Amino acid sequence: MTNPAPGLDIPKRTERERLNAALHAADAETGFWDDNGRPTPWPDDIDDWTADIRQSPTPEPEHPPF
């Protein structure tokens, strides 16, 4: 069976730990940052994250969508 929804696959915890260590050793960023703007490793709870599927509101006719 193929993945019905294209998108990024979240690595397993052991793979995230390996990737985090490699990124840290290379002084690279994961794409996650702490509250002070410093790069951080993959979050441990990322397996529990869900997509935000809310629809954006329809703009009123007299208001442009930007």
Side-chain angles (χ1 to χ4, degrees), residues 23-44:
L23 289 169
H24 182 69
D27 200 27
E29 295 182 1
T30 60
F32 294 97
W33 295 270
D34 66 11
D35 292 336
N36 296 317
R38 292 182 301 256
T40 60
W42 281 73
D44 288 334

Side-chain angles (χ1 to χ4, degrees), residues 4-26:
L8 299 175
D9 290 328
I10 299 172
K12 301 283 186 210
R13 178 181 293 271
T14 54
E15 179 68 5
R16 288 196 310 265
E17 290 171 355
R18 186 188 68 75
L19 290 170
N20 286 338
L23 289 169
H24 182 69

